[in-house]
Amino acid sequence: MSDVIFEKKGHTAVITVNRPDTLNALCEELISHINSALDAAENDQDIFTVIITGTGKAFIAGADIGEMYEKDREGIRKWARLGCDLNARIESMSLPVIAAINGYALGGGLELALACDIRIASSTARMGLPETGLGVICGAGGTQRLPRIVGDGIAREMIFTAEKIDAQRALSIGLVNRVTDPEALMDEALAVCEAINKNGQLAVRAAKRAVNASRDTDIHDGCIFEREAFSSLFDTEDQKLGMGGFLAGEKNVRFKNK
Ligand code: DAK
């Protein structure tokens, strides 16, 4: 059985990290296989959204401590790059990516989830950045993305204490959008995807770029970016279909994504 399972469910690609012996810990090979699965999703015109989840009791329990242990400063740099690049890719890829957090999302696993657009957690999930308890710090964006999502003070507490939080706490601080029963997690994630998939995908992708821009620019430049993206959509068939459909009283517009 492969350590990454790729399935298509309608217009959604479900990528399941499947290395349960190590609670889906991220090693070099696994990162490469996740990248291949993301390639498959991106290269398929029929895929509009991606779900990342894990098998067993973990989403991803962090980077593989065994693989990292022997490395020195130079050795870890190359390795570090792989994790950083993976998360940057998820964040900037055109398709919305949903993390369906089925269990432990720790260290590099939570960092990957932080790079996703939407996080949905099983009520049994536990999340945290335990790196300071291992004598290191996050290396794949945790200190940068967590404060932007939950705020500075809560992020500092989670990072400095290295403590795990449960799903309800994660919901209360805005780290996850929803919490479900474990058995309902995938249906809930697919329902969110379905709600996205029915919309104009050029618009959804423009929206992702614009929201991403809000993180990197001041509000003035961000609004200019948004206005340009908004205007460009008036060159598309979807805009005429969407607005024309509304004016004609159509309930279910079928977008062409053109
Ligand atoms: N790495 C390697 N093996 C792991 C692992 C991990 N992160 N997490 C669990 N395992 C392995 C365990 O060693 C155990 O293996 P066996 O003994 O069966 O051979 C097996 O998975 C089952 O785990 P446990 O027996 O420990 O299961 P429990 O239910 O008792 O405990 C646990 C579950 C999640 C609480 C515990 O396994 C745990 O604390 N795991 C470590 C979690 C952790 O500290 N994660 C953070 C790792 S540091 C970077 C990118 C990323 C990172 C750094 C740099 N660059 C891009 C710069 C990230 C760093 C990290 O993530």
Side-chain angles (χ1 to χ4, degrees), residues 141-155:
T143 61
Q144 305 304 301
R145 293 191 179 95
L146 187 64
R148 286 167 160 87
I149 293 169
V150 303
D152 189 87
I154 303 264

Side-chain angles (χ1 to χ4, degrees), residues 228-240:
E228 289 307 312
F230 167 77
S231 302
S232 72
L233 291 167
F234 283 72
D235 273 345
T236 67
E237 284 186 43
D238 279 1
Q239 178 265 331
K240 296 292 177 277

Side-chain angles (χ1 to χ4, degrees), residues 19-26 31 57-58 60-68 76-85 87 104-111 128-131 133-134 136-141 164:
R19 198 181 173 229
D21 291 355
T22 58
L23 304 188
N24 302 327
L26 292 169
I31 291 174
K57 64 181 178 183
I60 296 170
D64 190 318
I65 298 170
E67 194 170 271
M68 284 188 294
I76 198 73
R77 274 216 176 100
K78 175 175 167 277
W79 191 94
R81 186 82 191 254
L82 298 172
C84 286
D85 288 354
N87 292 345
Y104 290 110
L106 302 174
L110 182 58
E111 290 177 297
L129 294 173
E131 285 90 342
L134 296 167
V136 296
I137 64 166
C138 315
K164 302 175 192 62

